[in-house]
């Protein structure tokens, strides 16, 4: 009897221990999930883009993605996938020669996903399948699309898709007809080239199916102007496009963001066209050998492209160094926020301009188009610019230490990568692996934005519960 009671007691103890361990297992798993789960919407966006880059790299490393024997190296695939998902356009291998049709299709899919936004794309799938959104998905999509509120995320994401498909379809039709009628392409080839370049244009990617990019079409307005129009539309940003669609007849009701983007874009496009055309007018290697009308077309096209996309209809490597410097500035500024353009955005530099104007005039509040600017925007603009300058300067200095290329070319390459433009001074493929990894990092950070990446890396927010007394140091 004593033995039986002892056995029962042992079994009961073992059962209790097993039950307790089983009860602790969900707690441990839940704790692990909380420890490793993203704590900020920006973290979700960073992880989404990183995952897309990883998948794209894996697909491009497949032997069927590369022309010839074997597959692409890890660095070749990683660089191309990052450039595509970040809608940049920098390349280390010749796209139409190195990649097969499958590889080019992978690149095109990455461009579309990157331009549309990984989080917006995932949210759209949720809308179409589940017909409902969770709070976490709403927050992620709002962060990606710069939506003003969580309630309108569904409408914003669907609107982004509709605009993208509409612009890309119209441009693809124009390019397909031009390729078939003027250049004798068969229907299949004309359609593929039309679709590829339309998606690459609207998403400001700059990938082309020609080894010399678009230099063969430098004097063709039916190719250059539609592509430039798609680049401009994508570069305005979806908030601006939405507002123009709703209130195109009432500009007085346009928001400060829309007015800044439209005015700034007009000034930069006109100024860039005049600058590049004047500087390169007599350069026989760029505009000098073209008829006057084609020089104007090429100058305008390159001004549009420099702001955000990576196409080129003239030889960038043969341009004057002063043109490179001017293009550095235009690339650094970029296009409108919450769109397919890169750079630090027109609104950021417009805010800095009005802050400077207010300080020089001795004002106390920054007023723009009859509205007072929030002081929090002051700090945000200054932070973004200073972080970007530090990153570009540090990357340029590092490349100067590990390569023999001149500062002008290295700075051009760094700014092009960070601003996700894709123009090249002809040295990207010649950089050592460490230099190409630096450009990969710049493209990734440039697509997500310094502030977004910084917020994603922060483990948690730390609100200030107190304030220090004020004091003013001497300035100047």
């Amino acid at each position: 009897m004593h033995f039986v009671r002892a056995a029962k007691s042992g079994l009961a103890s073992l059962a209790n221990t097993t039950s307790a361990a089983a009860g602790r297992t969900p707690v441990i798993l839940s704790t692990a999930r909380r420890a490793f789960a993203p704590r900020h919407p920006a973290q979700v966006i960073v992880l989404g883009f990183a995952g897309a880059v990883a998948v794209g790299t894996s697909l491009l490393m497949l032997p069927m993605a590369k022309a010839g024997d074997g597959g692409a190296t890890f660095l070749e695939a990683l660089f191309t996938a990052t450039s595509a998902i970040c809608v940049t356009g920098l390349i280390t291998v010749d796209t139409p020669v190195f990649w097969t049709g499958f590889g080019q299709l992978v690149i095109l899919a990455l461009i579309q996903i990157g331009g549309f936004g990984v989080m917006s794309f995932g949210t759209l799938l949720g809308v179409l399948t589940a017909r409902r959104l969770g709070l976490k998905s709403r927050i992620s999509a709002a962060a990606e699309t710069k939506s003003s509120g969580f309630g309108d995320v569904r409408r914003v994401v669907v609107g982004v898709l509709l605009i993208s498909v509409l612009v890309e379809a119209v441009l693809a039709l124009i390019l397909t007809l031009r390729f078939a009628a003027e250049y004798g392409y068969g229907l299949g080839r004309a359609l593929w080239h039309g679709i590829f370049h339309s998606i690459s244009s609207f998403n400001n990617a700059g990938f082309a199916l020609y080894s010399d990019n678009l230099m063969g079409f430098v004097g063709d307005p039916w190719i250059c102007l539609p592509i430039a129009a798609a680049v401009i539309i994508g570069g305005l940003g979806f908030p601006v496009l939405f507002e123009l669609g709703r209130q195109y007849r009432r500009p007085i009701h346009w928001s400060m963001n829309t007015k800044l983007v439209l005015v700034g874009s007009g000034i930069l496009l006109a100024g860039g066209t005049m600058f590049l055309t004047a500087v390169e007018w007599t350069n026989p290697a760029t505009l000098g050998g073209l008829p006057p009308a084609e020089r104007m077309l090429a100058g305008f096209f390159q001004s549009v492209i420099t702001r955000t996309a990576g196409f080129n209809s003239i030889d960038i490597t043969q341009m004057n160094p002063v043109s490179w410097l001017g293009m550095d500035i235009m690339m650094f500024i970029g296009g409108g926020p919450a769109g397919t353009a890169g750079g630090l955005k027109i609104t950021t530099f417009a805010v800095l301009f009005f802050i400077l104007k207010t300080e020089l005039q001795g004002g106390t509040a920054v007023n723009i188009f009859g509205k007072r600017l929030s002081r929090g925007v002051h700090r945000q603009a200054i932070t973004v610019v200073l972080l970007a300058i530090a990153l570009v300067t540090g990357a340029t200095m590092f490349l100067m230490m590990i390569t023999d290329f001149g500062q002008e070319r290295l700075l051009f390459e760094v700014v092009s990568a960070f601003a996700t433009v894709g123009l090249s001074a002809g040295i990207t493929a010649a950089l050592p692996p460490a230099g190409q990894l630096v450009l990969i990092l710049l493209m990734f950070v440039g697509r997500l934005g310094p502030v977004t990446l910084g917020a994603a890396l922060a483990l948690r927010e730390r609100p200030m519960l107190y304030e220090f007394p004020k004091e003013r140091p001497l300035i100047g």
Side-chain angles (χ1 to χ4, degrees), residues 183-410:
Y183 298 95
Y185 290 9
L187 180 59
R189 185 186 178 194
L191 183 61
W192 169 240
H193 280 239
I195 293 175
F196 188 98
H197 292 96
S198 68
I199 294 177
S200 184
S201 300
F202 178 72
N203 291 287
N204 286 218
F207 279 87
L209 295 179
Y210 305 96
S211 298
D212 60 355
N213 208 273
L214 298 181
M215 291 175 59
F217 308 101
V218 62
D220 190 342
W222 288 98
I223 297 293
C224 293
L225 291 181
I227 287 178
V231 169
I232 293 173
I233 293 173
L236 290 177
F238 292 108
V240 173
L241 297 177
F242 290 153
E243 188 162 9
L244 291 178
R246 293 193 308 266
Q247 305 189 50
Y248 66 95
R249 293 182 178 179
R250 298 187 294 175
I252 192 173
H253 296 294
W254 291 350
S255 65
M256 181 189 298
N257 179 78
T258 296
K259 293 178 180 178
L260 287 177
V261 171
L262 293 178
V263 173
S265 296
I267 293 174
L268 290 173
L269 287 175
T273 300
M274 291 186 292
F275 170 77
L276 292 177
T277 304
V279 174
E280 298 295 327
W281 188 265
T282 58
N283 185 350
T286 54
L287 300 183
L290 301 174
E294 293 185 10
R295 296 187 201 185
M296 294 298 299
L297 174 62
F300 169 74
F301 182 80
Q302 212 55 60
S303 174
V304 172
I305 297 306
T306 299
R307 298 268 317 294
T308 138
F311 294 112
N312 62 281
S313 62
I314 57 177
D315 192 350
I316 302 296
T317 64
Q318 300 299 318
M319 298 182 76
N320 290 310
V322 66
S323 296
W324 288 342
L325 182 58
M327 294 168 74
D328 287 339
I329 297 173
M330 289 188 285
M331 289 190 296
F332 197 65
I333 295 175
T340 57
L344 291 185
K345 314 306 181 188
I346 297 172
T347 49
T348 303
F349 280 86
V351 165
L352 292 181
F353 169 79
F354 281 102
I355 291 176
L356 175 63
K357 178 175 176 289
T358 302
E359 288 297 321
L360 293 178
Q361 293 177 344
T364 57
V366 179
N367 300 314
I368 304 176
F369 299 128
K371 299 288 183 66
R372 182 168 55 88
L373 191 67
S374 170
R375 291 192 177 273
V377 179
H378 301 194
R379 298 191 300 270
Q380 186 179 7
I382 294 172
T383 301
V384 169
V385 172
L386 290 180
L387 284 175
I389 291 175
L391 189 60
V392 168
T393 302
T396 303
M397 293 174 65
F398 177 77
L399 293 180
M400 291 175 65
M401 290 189 295
I402 66 172
T403 68
D404 296 326
F405 295 112
Q407 177 184 336
E408 296 166 340
R409 290 180 181 270
L410 291 174

